[in-house]
Amino acid sequence: MRAVLPPGGRDGVPGRIPPGRNTAALAAGVLVLTLLLMLLMIERIPAARAAESADVVSIAGWELGNFRSSNGEIVYCLEPGGRMPAGAQREPALVSELPAFWTTSFDQTGWSGAVSSAAAGGDTIRRMNYLLSVHGATRDPRAAAAVQLAVWLVRPDPGTDAWMKHHIIWAETHGAADIVQRARALASEARTNAVPVRIELPGALELRADDGFRSGELSYPSGTTSVTIAGARFPDGSTTRTIVDGAAGTVAWRAELHADGWERKRTVTAEGAWKVSKAQWPDSLRLHPPTVDAQQRLGAGIGPGQARREGRFEPTSLEHDERFEPVLTTRVPQVDLIRERDRFADTVTLAIEEQGRPWPWRMKGGEVEHAPVRAEGTVYGPFAQAPVEGERVPAGAPVAARATLLASRGPGEYSVSADSAPDEAGYYVWVWRIRGDRQPQDVRSAGLIDPEYRFQDRFGVSEEQHRVATALRWTTRISADGLRWDHRGFSDRVTVELQHGAWLRDENGDRIPARIRLTAYGSEQRPERRAEPLRMPPSSPPRSSR
C-alpha cells in the first residue's frame, strides 16, 4: 500500500520542498503518513465475508430467495424493502426484537422510494422463527422465494405496505403468482401455529385419611417434581419423595398416633414443587447483522423450544382431633342381695357418644392400648320403696357405697364391686358419672376429654337396682294352754319386730306382706325346746296354719 502526497499546497499551487528541510525529514514524514493509512485500512477490513445468494428466483429481473451467510447458514432478509446485503455480516447473535428501520430503495421492478418499519418483536419474531425453522432450509428456489415473501408478510407495517403491494403485483403479473399464493399460505400457517403457549398451573395436592387417621393417601397432579409430608411418613419411612416422570399419581402415608404420649390433635401437611413445560415457538431469531448499518439484516430460525414454568404448591393439611366423649350403661348382675354378705356389684358397659369420635388407642409393645377413662359409681339407699327414675339424684339421698372404675381396655364390659355390703333392708340404686376434670393425669394433660365434660346416667334405672329383703323378727304365744272337746281349734299370737332397716313397700306405697307359716305338732309327752321337731309317726300328721 502506498501513500500519495497531495498535488499542491493549501492554496492549490504546486508546491515544493521548503528550504532548510533535508531529505531525511521528508522520508520520516512519508513513513508516518503511510502507517496511518495502513491502520485506517485495517480497521475497515470486515469481520466476515459478505452473504452470497443461494436459492434464488429471478422474477423479471427481481431476484427473490435466500442467502448463504459467511458461516454457511441459510438466511433470509428480515426487512421488506431494505437494501441488499452487499457487505459482510458480523457474528450472529440471538435476538428477540428487530430494530426499526428507514431507507430508500430502487430495483428492477421500477420501484423507487422510501421504506420504513417500526421495531418488531413478540408474535412477529415468533412467526419468523417458525417460517425459517420449518420451511427455511429448502433448496428449491421457488420454495425459498415463497418463504422469503412470507417472512415479509408476517411483518406488516404502514411504512412497507406500498413496497409490498408493488412487488406482489409485479410477481403475480410476471409468472410468479404461485410463489405469492404459497407465501400467503405459509404466513397463515405461521399465524396459526406460532402462537404463545399458555401453561396452565397444575392442580392442587389432595390429602385423604382413613383408619382413624393412621393412614391415607396423598394425590398429586401431573408436573409434580417432589412432595413433602409433615406429621406422617411415607411407607419407606421418608418424608420427601421425588417424582421422576412428572405423571400424576398417589402415594400412601402412615401416621403413628400417640407414639410419644397421648396427644389430642394431629395435623398432616403436604407440600411440593412442580415444573411444567410445553413445546412452543420462542420469539427469538439468530440475527446476522450487517457491518454496514444501511444494509439488510439477515436471520435464521432457532427452532422450537420449551416454555417452562415452575413453582410450589399451596400447602394442604388435614387435622385430626382425638378428643372423645365416653358414655356408659350398667346392669347389676344380682338384684337380690343378702345383708352383710353380698357386696354391691355392677356390670358397666362403656362406649362413645353416638356419632362421636373413636376411643383413642395406640400400639405399645405390640399390643393395642386404649386411653384410660375413670368412671365413678355411687350406690344410693336404702329406700323403702323402689326409686322412681329421673334425671337427677334426689336431694338428701343416702349414700350406701362407692366404686371407681379405670377402664383401660377401651369400650366394652367391666365388672365392678363396691367397697362395702348392704347392712340394711331396702332398695339400692347405682348412679355412674364420668367427669373430664377427674381423668388420669396423662389423659387430662393431653386434653383427650374436655375438662368440662360431664356424663351421668339416670337415677333409679331398674336395671341398676339392688334389693335387700325386709328383715323381721317375731315371737309367738298360744292363746290357751289346753283344748276343750267342744272347741279343739289351735290359736297363736305372733308378735313381729322390724330389724335392720325399713319395711319394703310396693309401687303403690303399701308394705310388702311377710308370709309366716306356723305348724302345730302333737306329742304324747311334753315336748322339749329344740331347733328341729322330732320325727312324727305316720298316724299323727302335723297340722298347719298360716
Side-chain angles (χ1 to χ4, degrees):
M1 180 180 293
R2 295 184 305 140
V4 180
L5 293 176
R10 184 179 60 182
D11 299 328
V13 179
R16 59 184 179 84
I17 298 174
R21 298 282 181 92
N22 57 25
T23 305
L26 179 61
V30 172
L31 179 60
V32 171
L33 182 58
T34 301
L35 290 174
L36 288 173
L37 290 173
M38 290 178 65
L39 289 173
L40 288 173
M41 293 181 69
I42 291 172
E43 286 182 355
R44 291 178 182 175
I45 295 175
R49 303 187 310 276
E52 301 174 351
S53 294
D55 308 296
V56 176
V57 172
S58 177
I59 305 174
W62 180 48
E63 293 186 344
L64 188 61
N66 55 32
F67 292 83
R68 186 180 302 278
S69 185
S70 57
N71 66 353
E73 188 171 25
I74 297 297
V75 292
Y76 288 79
C77 296
L78 303 178
E79 298 168 339
R83 294 185 182 181
M84 295 298 290
Q89 280 72 49
R90 297 189 180 93
E91 287 295 321
L94 291 180
V95 298
S96 293
E97 185 178 63
L98 296 175
F101 71 90
W102 182 95
T103 187
T104 58
S105 66
F106 58 91
D107 55 41
Q108 294 84 347
T109 66
W111 170 266
S112 178
V115 183
S116 65
S117 176
D123 287 341
T124 297
I125 301 296
R126 196 186 320 277
R127 292 162 185 166
M128 287 182 173
N129 178 33
Y130 176 85
L131 290 168
L132 298 177
S133 299
V134 176
H135 302 287
T138 180
R139 303 313 307 272
D140 179 356
R142 297 188 78 82
V147 172
Q148 177 61 86
L149 189 55
V151 168
W152 292 334
L153 287 172
V154 297
R155 188 182 180 178
D157 190 277
T160 62
D161 285 349
W163 186 91
M164 286 293 297
K165 183 178 181 180
H166 172 85
H167 287 80
I168 287 174
I169 293 174
W170 177 270
E172 290 176 333
T173 58
H174 290 82
D178 61 313
I179 294 176
V180 174
Q181 182 178 4
R182 185 170 183 178
R184 285 174 172 157
L186 291 175
S188 177
E189 178 185 322
R191 294 187 188 99
T192 300
N193 295 331
V195 294
V197 171
R198 179 180 178 83
I199 299 180
E200 299 290 339
L201 297 180
L205 299 175
E206 295 182 3
L207 280 171
R208 182 179 62 80
D210 51 25
D211 189 26
F213 212 79
R214 285 171 168 77
S215 64
E217 287 185 336
L218 166 60
S219 298
Y220 51 86
S222 60
T224 302
T225 57
S226 66
V227 289
T228 301
I229 199 164
R233 291 185 178 275
F234 298 125
D236 61 0
S238 67
T239 57
T240 299
R241 173 161 293 193
T242 300
I243 311 302
V244 178
D245 58 4
T250 59
V251 57
W253 57 265
R254 296 197 62 81
E256 186 179 356
L257 301 183
H258 316 293
D260 301 320
W262 296 111
E263 57 182 312
R264 177 189 168 187
K265 291 186 177 181
R266 173 63 69 94
T267 301
V268 173
T269 301
E271 299 182 76
W274 56 268
K275 181 186 293 184
V276 180
S277 62
K278 195 172 183 179
Q280 73 160 6
W281 291 95
D283 55 347
S284 295
L285 290 172
R286 189 159 40 253
L287 183 67
H288 295 250
T291 56
V292 180
D293 289 341
Q295 290 183 2
Q296 179 76 249
R297 290 176 174 82
L298 302 174
I302 64 169
Q306 292 287 325
R308 290 183 177 86
R309 192 172 180 181
E310 59 185 7
R312 297 196 61 81
F313 292 104
E314 285 291 327
T316 182
S317 298
L318 288 179
E319 185 176 272
H320 176 64
D321 194 339
E322 287 275 86
R323 175 169 283 182
F324 72 116
E325 297 182 345
V327 296
L328 56 79
T329 57
T330 73
R331 176 184 290 273
V332 294
Q334 182 178 346
V335 176
D336 292 307
L337 303 181
I338 303 299
R339 187 180 65 83
E340 294 185 340
R341 188 192 75 179
D342 297 331
R343 298 172 69 88
F344 296 110
D346 206 358
T347 300
V348 182
T349 302
L350 279 151
I352 57 171
E353 186 70 38
E354 187 177 357
Q355 310 267 330
R357 299 188 184 99
W359 195 303
W361 60 274
R362 64 186 176 188
M363 295 300 297
K364 193 170 184 180
E367 296 183 355
V368 174
E369 178 183 355
H370 287 84
V373 171
R374 186 190 306 277
E376 298 169 332
T378 303
V379 181
Y380 292 95
F383 302 101
Q385 189 173 355
V388 178
E389 185 173 336
E391 289 289 339
R392 299 180 181 278
V393 178
V399 175
R402 298 184 188 276
T404 299
L405 166 64
L406 186 62
S408 59
R409 293 182 281 105
E413 285 190 357
Y414 295 83
S415 296
V416 183
S417 293
D419 53 6
S420 62
D423 57 4
E424 292 187 25
Y427 292 93
Y428 296 85
V429 61
W430 284 90
V431 174
W432 285 90
R433 299 174 179 87
I434 300 175
R435 294 178 52 179
D437 58 354
R438 295 180 64 86
Q439 296 307 305
Q441 177 62 43
D442 51 353
V443 173
R444 292 203 313 273
S445 299
L448 291 180
I449 299 178
D450 189 338
E452 301 300 321
Y453 178 69
R454 298 289 185 273
F455 172 84
Q456 177 177 308
D457 61 350
R458 293 172 63 84
F459 174 82
V461 178
S462 61
E463 291 83 3
E464 296 182 327
Q465 294 186 21
H466 292 296
R467 184 173 58 216
V468 178
T470 305
L472 299 176
R473 180 179 181 181
W474 63 86
T475 58
T476 65
R477 184 177 184 83
I478 58 175
S479 301
D481 292 338
L483 299 176
R484 299 195 309 269
W485 289 104
D486 59 345
H487 182 73
R488 292 189 293 177
F490 294 99
S491 175
D492 204 355
R493 181 185 298 275
V494 180
T495 302
V496 178
E497 182 182 353
L498 183 64
Q499 299 284 313
H500 308 297
W503 193 307
L504 273 60
R505 297 175 181 268
D506 60 19
E507 62 273 11
N508 298 319
D510 299 328
R511 286 188 178 91
I512 298 175
R515 187 180 298 273
I516 301 174
R517 183 182 183 91
L518 301 177
T519 303
Y521 294 91
S523 172
E524 295 180 355
Q525 289 122 7
R526 186 177 185 88
E528 297 180 2
R529 178 174 293 185
R530 61 180 62 236
E532 297 290 338
L534 293 173
R535 182 180 297 274
M536 300 300 295
S539 60
S540 303
R543 295 186 179 184
S544 299
S545 64
R546 295 183 182 179

